[in-house]
Every structure is written in C-alpha cells, then in structure tokens.
Amino acid sequence: MIKVGDKLPAGALQEFIEVEGNGCSLGPNTFDIAKETAGKTVAIFGLPGAFTPTCSAKHVPGYVARADDLKRAGVDEIWCVSVNDPFVMGAWGRDQKTAGKVRMMADGSAAFANATGLTLDLTARGMGVRSQRYSMLVKDGVVKALNVEGPGKFEVSDADTLLKQAQQLKG
C-alpha cells in the first residue's frame, strides 16, 4: 500500500468535462496523474462508489462544504476518485454540486486503486473491485498525509481531518 513519502503511481484518471475550454473537449477527458499534480498541492479522497449512501450523504458533501477552507490552507485542487466510469462521475458531480470545488475523477478499471494498493474487494456484494475509503494530501506528486478507513468506517478520511493536516503542512 502507498504510504507517506511515496510518489503517486504513474497513470491516468478521467474526468467528465461539462464546458469546452482550456484544451478540454466536452465529455470524458483523460488526465496524466503526474502532470496534474506537478507543482500543486492536491487533496485526494477515494471512496467505494458514486451514489452510494455514505459517499453521497457525508464524504463528498464534506469536501464541497470545506473546499474554500482547503484552498485557504494551500490546497490547489480537490479530487474525488472512485472506481466508476467518467459518465457516472460526471452525473454524480452534478447531483452533488461539485462544479468549481471538487474534480470528480474516474478510475474506471481500478488501475489507480490497484497501483496504490488501496483496493476493496466488494465482489461478494456485486460491486467488484473498488477503492477503499481514504484521503491523502499530495504535494508535487508526493504523499504528505494518508488516512485509510477501516472496513465500513468513516472516521479519518473526512474533509475536516484533511483540512487540519493541510493547515499543519502549510505551517
């Protein structure tokens, strides 16, 4: 499993873009993780699935509500990463009103989850391999804080915990 001090694995994530611009076309666009984190502080939180109860009721809304506070603490971008396709992540982002606050990044084939060692096997529940629930603070591609939840828990990957860590990192 990835740990504090490790560089994020090479790879790509997809984001559904609603408005054409900045070299991005409408619809799914693929982003290189190393390029997107270079020179930035990024708050990344991962979760098992779009439109699922805890993810929709607590995890995403917390980051949307704390987006401005995280930016003041030195975070350039906030990413929600889930093993869903970019169309689902785009629809979920609209539902959760994440525009301008949280980038809804799709890890459709669980490549990022596998590369970080943060997978969760929900095959027995009909959901396949998913992402564990976690949060991390990444500076210039290097993990500076990592909070991985225990099975069925939502105690350490919330926005308030990552905000405190971002404030400490900023110093």
Side-chain angles (χ1 to χ4, degrees), residues 66-129:
R66 289 300 209 170
D68 291 338
D69 295 328
L70 283 158
K71 301 253 167 108
R72 279 192 289 276
V75 171
D76 298 299
E77 293 183 2
I78 304 166
W79 297 2
C80 173
V81 178
S82 184
V83 179
N84 290 107
D85 67 65
F87 298 99
V88 168
M89 292 300 284
W92 194 32
R94 283 190 299 280
D95 179 72
Q96 294 283 315
K97 298 175 179 43
T98 62
K101 295 177 185 267
V102 177
R103 293 181 70 181
M104 303 301 280
M105 305 296 263
D107 182 21
S109 297
F112 182 74
N114 278 309
T116 58
L118 292 167
T119 57
L120 177 64
D121 188 350
L122 295 176
T123 304
R125 294 175 54 192
M127 295 175 66
V129 174

